[in-house]
Structure formats: structure tokens, C-alpha cells
């Protein structure tokens, strides 16, 4: 390992321009990988549809398939100011 380190350190002053280009290439590669990881994380978190449900912010109304739902109940719920709904 010592021989490799000495050879590398001798190479740097001889090829200063190439050494700088190599370091810039490595830095650009690390920056690109970090940027892709951050943008993927942001995209996935924005597409997660039920992120408010575990916090208690969203609920869904469902019925059993045995009986039909009374229309008056649904109309009363839609008129209630404490209930917000969205059509999907």
C-alpha cells in the first residue's frame, strides 16, 4: 500500500492538469448522485397519497355491500361544515 501511495503522490505534481480534471470529475459525480437521490425522495414523498391518514387528517366513508346507503345520511354529511370531502 505504501508503494501505491508514493506512486500516486509522485503522479500529482507531474500531471497537475489531469489531476485537477479527475478531482472535478469525482466531485461532479458525487453531486449528481446526491441530487438524484434528493429529487427521487422528494418525488416519492409528494406522490404518497395517504400521508395524512396516519396522522388522523383523513378518513374515508365506506358501506357494507349488504345494504344500500341511505341518501339522506350522505346529504346530511355533505351539508355539515365540519366535514370536507373530495371527489376522486
Amino acid at each position: 500500500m505504501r508503494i501505491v501511495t508514493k506512486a500516486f503522490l509522485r503522479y500529482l505534481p507531474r500531471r497537475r492538469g489531469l489531476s485537477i480534471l479527475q478531482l472535478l470529475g469525482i466531485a461532479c459525480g458525487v453531486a449528481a448522485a446526491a441530487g438524484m437521490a434528493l429529487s427521487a425522495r422528494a418525488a416519492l414523498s409528494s406522490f404518497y397519497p395517504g400521508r395524512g391518514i396516519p396522522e388522523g387528517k383523513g378518513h374515508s366513508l365506506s358501506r357494507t355491500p349488504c345494504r344500500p346507503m341511505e341518501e339522506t345520511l350522505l346529504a346530511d354529511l355533505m351539508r355539515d361544515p365540519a366535514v370536507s370531502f373530495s371527489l376522486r
Side-chain angles (χ1 to χ4, degrees):
M1 187 69 177
R2 203 173 227 188
I3 297 171
V4 175
T5 306
K6 283 183 182 180
F8 176 71
L9 291 176
R10 270 186 288 170
Y11 177 79
L12 288 178
R14 291 181 190 165
R15 308 271 189 200
R16 200 170 274 159
L18 287 176
S19 299
I20 291 172
L21 283 176
Q22 286 176 342
L23 290 174
L24 284 175
I26 292 169
C28 287
V30 169
M36 285 187 282
L38 288 173
S39 67
R41 184 181 298 164
L44 287 176
S45 69
S46 70
F47 283 123
Y48 183 64
R51 66 178 169 212
I53 291 174
E55 299 169 0
K57 293 181 181 176
H59 300 284
S60 64
L61 181 66
S62 63
R63 65 175 182 88
T64 59
C66 300
R67 304 182 316 181
M69 181 181 233
E70 295 180 21
E71 292 182 12
T72 56
L73 174 66
L74 187 60
D76 291 341
L77 282 175
M78 290 175 66
R79 281 191 220 108
D80 190 358
V83 176
S84 65
F85 66 94
S86 64
L87 300 174
R88 294 184 204 176

